[in-house]
Amino acid sequence: MFTRKSFGLMLTYLLLLSMFVLGCQSNQSQPAPSQDQAQGAQGTAAEPAAKTVSELKIGLPSDAGPINIYTGNIDYLTELVFDKLFSPSPYVDKPEPWLAESAKQLDDVTWVVKIRDGVKWHDGTPFTAEDVKFTYEYYRDGPANRHTHHVSEVPHIEKIELDDPSTVRFTCAYACPSLERITFADLPILPKHIWEKVENPRKFTDLPVGTGPYKLVEYKADQYYKFEANKDYFKGAPLVDTLVMPVIKDPTAIFNALRSGEIDISARPLPPELEASFTNAPNMKVAETSPLSIIELKQNYDKAPFNTAEFRNAMSLAVDRQAIVDTVMLGKGRAGLKGYPHPDSPWTNPNLSTPYDAEKAKSVMDGLKFVDTNNDGVREMPDGKPLAFSLKVPSTEPSWIRAAEMLKDQYAKVGVKVTVEVLDSGTMATVGQTRDFDLVISNIGAHGVADPDQFVMSHRSSYLWNKTIPYPEMDALQKQWMAETSLDKRKEIGFAMQELFNKQPTSVALFYPEEKFAYRSDRFDQWVESKGYGIINKYSLLPDGAKKAKAEQ
């Protein structure tokens, strides 16, 4: 017979059985977690850990060498390995302290930076203020790279000293009100114990040692990169253990690899004609970003008649940018009607305008005495030489080739003959170095078109102008800019420089591309945008705290 004790045991058994059944029913209503999801299932009830992934494959459209800063540079790859004093970049309103704890301006030319404690290099060596001092001096006094002008010329940091073991003092040669927001947010910090032994950085091919969230552990030129997570990263262990990045230069091949699952995301933005097919594909998503880049038509100011400001203006007026976007980009993107630099940069004059006006272009050319004397449809210069130029464009960019053909037709309408030359990427690189071109279509990224210091430097380094060639109006503005101690007033002078440039541009903004990245959401769906870097950036791969800080910028 039942006793009170046996009844209690039976009741306990029934309760346990009901809980088991309910649990089974609950489990049946949800799919089983994948191995990667299971890895990320740990964490507290109040704040569950982010989902982690064992490996991601990222297709790269180009090779940047072994990421040693001097032999090639793709910013988002450099960012995985190296850190800066402030992050993420000069392209946001206010970068946050990163390797620095704080920065303070003492006077017009002096800043002090407090260095974060407890950070280590990938080889276990402690990161110190000595590394910061060494890096800035190495950039200033050594061979040039894409970062060095931020120390050597625009701005020019005259002295770098240690106030104490964790404080670096920077003294500029002229006013430097933007040091925190620009220079400190752009320069990757190098390990002194390694780089002080490097005599020729352009021949240094060792794999890099940084403080960043990933270590480059394997690199095969033009084949692949392999990164492993830095589990001791001071902002938290990365969410992905291993990054494998095959180099797939052919545009068709890289998107075929994404479709087939050979890669999980393409670092090449999705062309407009493929967008629908990826958007509608199972387990695939398309992320839209705000890229800070310009597809530009460069005019060689070293050659006549491009060395004439009025002619460069006429060449800009003759370009129907909206027609190019509508036809070539299928309406995806913005016509370059705001000129150069990029309109989304916090440092760009919002009132810039570069309109299409073919009739005005003709009038300007008439005023220069560039007229069609033999009625063959092509104008001649006063010396009888026809306005006939080559337009070079890389074979790897089909949309640029189509844009070049449209430019050919648009220029024909104002009496300028253009012959399109499609060249391989190696030849195009040589063209850029030797300046052996009349016109060329290229892409200029965030560092070139969203960084105000670089806009000044581009007029001194030969990209937009060469400082050895007189340019009285721009030279006068640059002197004002360098003397100005107020960041807001310096910004106003920068706006005036931009207006001057766009009236006689050496680079014609064709369009601001709309970048969309296709990725396999079943493999990883935690991508976040970093302005100017797309979604493949260190923030995407860091824990939620760092992602939140990025979202709040």
Side-chain angles (χ1 to χ4, degrees):
M1 71 179 188
F2 281 114
T3 64
R4 181 174 297 179
K5 180 178 180 180
S6 63
F7 178 79
L9 288 172
M10 178 64 72
L11 181 60
T12 301
Y13 171 77
L14 290 172
L15 286 170
L16 289 171
L17 181 61
S18 66
M19 290 171 66
F20 173 77
V21 172
L22 287 171
C24 290
Q25 290 174 343
S26 175
N27 288 339
Q28 288 171 357
S29 67
Q30 300 178 17
S34 66
Q35 182 179 357
D36 290 330
Q37 289 172 327
Q39 290 173 358
Q42 300 176 357
T44 64
E47 187 177 348
K51 204 187 303 181
T52 60
V53 174
S54 58
E55 180 181 277
L56 278 182
K57 292 182 178 178
I58 301 172
L60 299 180
S62 60
D63 185 339
I67 313 181
N68 80 352
I69 307 295
Y70 284 86
T71 57
N73 193 77
I74 297 177
D75 281 347
Y76 59 83
L77 294 186
T78 301
E79 285 274 296
L80 295 178
V81 176
F82 295 98
D83 287 312
K84 301 171 293 194
L85 294 176
F86 279 69
S87 192
S89 68
Y91 322 136
V92 298
D93 286 327
K94 189 168 177 58
E96 65 172 315
W98 206 254
L99 286 178
E101 285 187 356
S102 63
K104 183 179 180 181
Q105 186 173 14
L106 302 184
D107 56 42
D108 294 342
V109 296
T110 310
W111 288 79
V112 291
V113 173
K114 195 78 172 176
I115 301 303
R116 185 182 295 274
D117 187 37
V119 178
K120 291 185 178 181
W121 295 100
H122 292 159
D123 61 5
T125 304
F127 161 76
T128 70
E130 285 279 2
D131 294 306
V132 177
K133 180 178 185 294
F134 167 80
T135 296
Y136 275 67
E137 290 176 339
Y138 195 85
Y139 285 159
R140 183 190 64 194
D141 304 331
N145 65 34
R146 106 111 177 93
H147 305 278
T148 54
H149 78 80
H150 282 302
V151 184
S152 63
E153 189 165 356
V154 182
H156 179 197
I157 302 179
E158 202 165 44
K159 289 192 295 184
I160 302 124
E161 305 165 291
L162 297 183
D163 282 0
D164 59 52
S166 63
T167 307
V168 187
R169 177 182 293 257
F170 300 87
T171 305
C172 300
Y174 57 87
C176 49
S178 63
L179 213 63
E180 176 185 3
R181 291 181 59 180
I182 306 298
T183 298
F184 295 162
D186 188 67
L187 269 62
I189 305 301
L190 303 174
K192 177 183 177 182
H193 65 284
I194 292 176
W195 281 84
E196 66 183 348
K197 303 168 189 174
V198 178
E199 295 182 2
N200 187 342
R202 301 195 189 286
K203 292 185 177 180
F204 183 62
T205 57
D206 290 2
L207 296 183
V209 172
T211 58
Y214 282 90
K215 309 171 189 178
L216 180 61
V217 296
E218 196 172 345
Y219 164 71
K220 296 287 186 184
D222 286 326
Q223 294 185 44
Y224 66 88
Y225 294 79
K226 183 178 180 181
F227 299 83
E228 288 184 356
N230 175 9
K231 298 292 188 180
D232 297 322
Y233 190 54
F234 69 94
K235 286 288 187 177
L239 301 178
V240 181
D241 294 333
T242 304
L243 301 173
V244 177
M245 301 189 185
V247 177
I248 308 173
K249 296 182 180 181
D250 181 76
T252 301
I254 198 168
F255 292 113
N256 284 342
L258 182 57
R259 282 193 186 91
S260 67
E262 295 175 50
I263 59 175
D264 302 311
I265 185 172
S266 165
R268 177 184 284 276
L270 196 62
E273 62 270 19
L274 296 182
E275 183 182 329
S277 66
F278 279 95
T279 301
N280 298 324
N283 298 320
M284 197 77 72
K285 287 185 180 179
V286 174
E288 182 174 352
T289 66
S290 303
L292 296 173
S293 62
I294 297 177
I295 307 304
E296 60 179 351
L297 174 69
K298 294 179 68 176
Q299 306 186 68
N300 192 345
Y301 57 82
D302 285 331
K303 289 185 173 184
F306 302 105
N307 59 352
T308 304
E310 294 87 349
F311 181 71
R312 295 196 304 271
N313 181 41
M315 292 290 282
S316 175
L317 289 166
V319 177
D320 188 346
R321 299 157 175 82
Q322 190 61 56
I324 291 173
V325 169
D326 292 342
T327 304
V328 174
M329 304 306 294
L330 307 180
K332 309 283 187 180
R334 283 182 288 168
L337 298 172
K338 290 281 189 177
Y340 189 111
H342 200 286
D344 289 348
S345 168
W347 306 100
T348 298
N349 185 341
N351 299 315
L352 295 178
S353 176
T354 52
Y356 166 55
D357 191 336
E359 292 306 313
K360 187 174 180 180
K362 292 178 185 178
S363 177
V364 172
M365 291 186 195
D366 289 342
L368 291 169
K369 309 301 183 187
F370 294 170
V371 294
D372 181 9
T373 57
N374 58 6
N375 295 316
D376 65 350
V378 180
R379 295 172 182 264
E380 293 88 36
M381 289 181 276
D383 63 1
K385 186 177 180 179
L387 292 182
F389 312 111
S390 74
L391 168 53
K392 301 181 190 298
V393 60
S395 60
T396 53
E397 298 293 341
S399 63
W400 299 5
I401 297 171
R402 294 194 294 272
E405 293 295 340
M406 288 192 69
L407 284 169
K408 173 183 174 180
D409 294 340
Q410 291 176 6
Y411 280 128
K413 293 177 181 177
V414 298
V416 177
K417 182 180 179 180
V418 168
T419 301
V420 176
E421 291 186 60
V422 180
L423 304 176
D424 62 79
S425 55
T427 306
M428 285 295 297
T430 302
V431 166
Q433 294 166 2
T434 62
R435 296 189 60 78
D436 182 21
F437 66 90
D438 298 321
L439 299 164
V440 64
I441 295 181
S442 63
N443 176 51
I444 178 72
H447 180 241
V449 296
D451 177 333
D453 290 3
Q454 180 57 44
F455 181 78
V456 174
M457 190 63 200
S458 290
H459 282 83
R460 303 173 66 82
S461 64
S462 81
Y463 192 84
L464 297 179
W465 197 255
N466 189 320
K467 63 184 176 182
T468 63
I469 303 173
Y471 194 166
E473 304 98 323
M474 188 67 76
D475 293 343
L477 286 170
Q478 284 189 18
K479 287 180 181 178
Q480 292 178 37
W481 187 90
M482 290 179 174
E484 182 52 60
T485 61
S486 162
L487 185 58
D488 288 338
K489 290 181 180 178
R490 175 176 275 193
K491 194 172 183 178
E492 291 177 8
I493 298 169
F495 285 2
M497 283 191 275
Q498 294 164 14
E499 286 183 359
L500 174 62
F501 174 81
N502 283 286
K503 291 176 182 176
Q504 47 194 39
T506 55
S507 173
V508 176
L510 297 179
F511 59 92
Y512 316 112
E514 177 184 88
E515 287 188 353
K516 295 187 177 182
F517 294 91
Y519 65 92
R520 302 195 65 87
S521 56
D522 56 333
R523 291 292 296 135
F524 189 75
D525 197 13
Q526 300 178 66
W527 302 105
V528 296
E529 180 185 6
S530 181
K531 203 170 184 181
Y533 293 88
I535 61 173
I536 301 170
N537 61 74
K538 67 170 59 173
Y539 283 99
S540 287
L541 304 166
L542 291 179
D544 288 345
K547 287 181 188 289
K548 182 180 179 183
K550 175 70 199 73
E552 291 173 350
Q553 286 180 330

